[in-house]
Amino acid sequence: MNTVSFKGDNRDTTVKASVLRASGNIPAVMYGGDILEHFTVKHNDIKHLIYTPDFKLGEVDIDGKSHKCIIKDIQFHPVTDAIEHIDFLAIEDGREVKVNIPIRFKGVSPGVKGGGKLMQSMRKVKVKVDPKNLVDVLYIDISNLELGFSVKVKDIEISEGMEVLASPSIPVASVEVPRALKSEQAAEEVAVAGEEGEAAPAATE
């Protein structure tokens, strides 16, 4: 698993959040199981955990004690988009969590080879899993994906003990027939129909 380690400083909850933010700190809370920690973090320490399309675990050190966690919620300023507060969920083996994991493809689609365009309609899927079985990414094999067809949630290759929390019939990606190829196919069909018409015997009275 990709893990981002960062430091957290215990927060004095009597100090207003606005004062903490003014001093360059982001108020945060971590909960889960028996854990409840109020602390602050620095933006530069957690930016690689937040601004990424990849799934990553966090590992925060608070007063010398390390906790594995994932981001549960982030509050942004409505105008500046500055981070105002972060909720972390503490994780431990044996206690399942719900997370969104990116979907990637493996193999080469024959439909794409034939001139089609691969269109991905779902980039992440929510799963329920024991943290010990967490993975960075989930894959779908598209080596049999032809023009005009799609792969669905049911085709995602999942790891042991993982439950996908999405309908199996939802499309993840499809190979669309390009407009130029559609026009070419339509022209060929018209030409074939014309040839067949010319070859047909004349009607007799």
Side-chain angles (χ1 to χ4, degrees):
M1 283 296 305
N2 288 325
T3 302
V4 176
S5 298
F6 60 99
K7 187 176 184 302
D9 294 314
N10 267 321
R11 175 187 172 185
D12 181 352
T13 54
T14 63
V15 178
K16 289 185 178 181
S18 58
V19 174
L20 294 171
R21 288 192 286 267
S23 61
N25 295 295
I26 300 173
V29 63
M30 180 171 57
Y31 46 83
D34 298 326
I35 297 172
L36 178 60
E37 297 277 2
H38 294 274
F39 58 103
T40 61
V41 295
K42 298 289 188 183
H43 180 271
N44 283 345
D45 292 341
I46 47 85
K47 64 182 181 181
H48 296 300
L49 185 62
I50 295 173
Y51 304 108
T52 174
D54 302 323
F55 176 72
K56 297 180 180 180
L57 285 179
E59 188 165 3
V60 57
D61 183 291
I62 305 173
D63 284 348
K65 190 172 182 180
S66 180
H67 303 276
K68 288 184 178 180
C69 59
I70 57 174
I71 292 176
K72 187 69 174 177
D73 186 48
I74 303 176
Q75 295 175 23
F76 294 94
H77 189 279
V79 176
T80 66
D81 279 338
I83 300 172
E84 295 201 318
H85 192 276
I86 306 175
D87 286 17
F88 293 95
L89 178 65
I91 62 173
E92 59 183 17
D93 290 349
R95 192 175 75 239
E96 291 184 323
V97 292
K98 295 177 182 179
V99 295
N100 290 303
I101 298 182
I103 302 168
R104 300 284 187 270
F105 304 117
K106 66 179 185 181
V108 179
S109 163
V112 172
K113 280 184 176 181
K117 184 177 181 181
L118 183 64
M119 303 294 291
Q120 187 172 0
S121 53
M122 179 183 285
R123 299 190 178 277
K124 292 183 179 182
V125 65
K126 180 172 282 190
V127 301
K128 184 166 71 172
V129 62
D130 189 308
K132 68 182 179 182
N133 295 323
L134 273 171
V135 294
D136 300 311
V137 64
L138 293 171
Y139 289 96
I140 289 186
D141 188 345
I142 59 170
S143 57
N144 293 315
L145 184 57
E146 299 284 355
L147 272 170
F149 288 86
S150 64
V151 284
K152 302 179 180 180
V153 166
K154 65 181 180 181
D155 301 310
I156 298 174
E157 299 174 359
I158 60 174
S159 63
E160 179 185 356
M162 182 177 288
E163 179 185 352
V164 176
L165 302 177
S167 172
S169 61
I170 295 176
V172 174
S174 59
V175 178
E176 290 190 355
V177 182
R179 186 176 299 174
L181 191 56
K182 285 181 180 178
S183 299
E184 187 179 309
Q185 290 174 343
E188 288 177 357
E189 289 173 1
V190 169
V192 170
E195 290 174 0
E196 290 177 348
E198 291 175 3
T204 57
E205 295 182 357

